Amino acid sequence: MISTQVASSIFRNNVAEEALEPDGGTMSNSGKGSAVRVTDGVLDVHDSIFEDNTQYKQGAIYTWDTLNISLTNCTFADNEATDGRGGAACFEADRSTMDRTSLQLRDCTFRGNEAKDEGGALYTLRIRNVNISNCLFEDNDSENDHGGGAYVQRPQDDADGNDLTVGSRLDVRDTTFRANKAKESGGGLYALQVSNVTIDNCLFEDNDAEDKGGGLYVLPYVQHAFSDVRVLRTVVQSNTAAKNGGGA
């Protein structure tokens, strides 16, 4: 297994542009990971800064099928996905590997990042265990979609028949979501079809959604017998939503 480590580094003003095929169509997998792109293996990033990076599609940091991802004490500021998801960071996995994947975010700051689609700062797809602790998501924007601060999804379509064979989990602890915006739902946080969600000792403040869930929006896995959503010791205040659930 390949291990990639990034430490005490600065990534600033990097660009991943759209690449075109000879017939004029967009080249597959172009425009992803303006600062760092990793496929497979393990990724450990700590004590680093990602600032003013721009990508056509996903993430200043982008991973595909990377089994274990750890980001510690990193700052993501003013990064942008001009026509895609995850303005600062995007982590995705295939169906064949998703049940072996994990993401750890500790002591990280996401400020002023933008994405045209889901996840103004952070976007994850098919990551089985997502753990976010002692982080700050502030002034991030999903211009046309869900999850101004963060977007986490385990697609229901990945189920074998009616049941996902292995449950997914999102744990968010000691984290602040402040002044993030989403064109659709989940101004601060949007979690879709994740079977177990725990939000503990967090603050959701001054976030805005033009649809539902100004502070946060959680829609668990459809098989409710396997779903558990807990919000503990958390303050949700001064958030707004144009339709339902100004706070959550």
Side-chain angles (χ1 to χ4, degrees):
M1 181 181 294
I2 298 173
S3 178
T4 302
Q5 184 175 87
V6 178
S8 304
S9 299
I10 298 174
F11 297 82
R12 182 179 291 131
N13 295 324
N14 300 287
V15 178
E17 297 179 341
E18 177 188 17
L20 300 179
E21 299 282 3
D23 63 2
T26 300
M27 186 177 295
S28 177
N29 291 321
S30 71
K32 299 179 181 180
S34 55
V36 174
R37 177 171 172 169
V38 175
T39 302
D40 302 324
V42 174
L43 174 64
D44 178 21
V45 184
H46 58 86
D47 304 308
S48 294
I49 296 172
F50 297 80
E51 185 177 67
D52 290 314
N53 300 290
T54 303
Q55 56 280 345
Y56 176 67
K57 285 296 183 183
Q58 284 100 293
I61 291 183
Y62 175 78
T63 68
W64 173 257
D65 273 357
T66 304
L67 299 184
N68 297 299
I69 306 159
S70 177
L71 275 62
T72 305
N73 194 33
C74 293
T75 297
F76 296 82
D78 301 317
N79 302 285
E80 183 178 4
T82 59
D83 194 43
R85 306 181 289 267
C90 179
F91 307 112
E92 299 179 315
D94 186 74
R95 294 184 185 187
S96 63
T97 57
M98 62 183 178
D99 288 334
R100 295 181 287 138
T101 57
S102 66
L103 168 65
Q104 302 276 343
L105 299 181
R106 292 183 291 263
D107 306 318
C108 290
T109 297
F110 297 82
R111 180 180 286 117
N113 303 284
E114 297 182 12
K116 181 179 178 181
D117 298 321
E118 301 97 328
L122 172 68
Y123 176 91
T124 78
L125 179 70
R126 300 192 185 97
I127 305 300
R128 178 185 174 189
N129 293 313
V130 177
N131 293 276
I132 301 172
S133 61
N134 198 35
C135 291
L136 171 65
F137 292 81
E138 186 173 49
D139 291 320
N140 303 289
D141 186 7
S142 171
E143 297 175 353
N144 289 338
D145 222 303
H146 305 292
Y151 179 104
V152 178
Q153 183 182 11
R154 170 69 177 269
Q156 182 178 314
D157 292 344
D158 292 337
D160 181 10
N162 291 322
D163 298 329
L164 287 171
T165 55
V166 179
S168 54
R169 177 174 294 278
L170 168 63
D171 283 295
V172 186
R173 302 178 188 273
D174 308 313
T175 291
T176 295
F177 293 83
R178 179 183 292 121
N180 302 285
K181 297 179 181 180
K183 179 70 173 179
E184 298 292 338
S185 299
L189 170 67
Y190 184 94
L192 180 63
Q193 296 162 356
V194 179
S195 51
N196 297 280
V197 178
T198 299
I199 298 170
D200 190 357
N201 196 35
C202 293
L203 172 64
F204 292 83
E205 180 178 50
D206 295 325
N207 301 287
D208 178 73
E210 294 190 24
D211 194 3
K212 306 179 186 72
L216 64 151
Y217 179 91
V218 178
L219 181 63
Y221 178 44
V222 69
Q223 296 292 332
H224 296 291
F226 303 99
S227 298
D228 184 52
V229 178
R230 302 185 184 191
V231 180
L232 310 169
R233 295 175 289 274
T234 289
V235 176
V236 182
Q237 64 183 18
S238 303
N239 304 283
T240 57
K243 295 183 180 178
N244 300 325

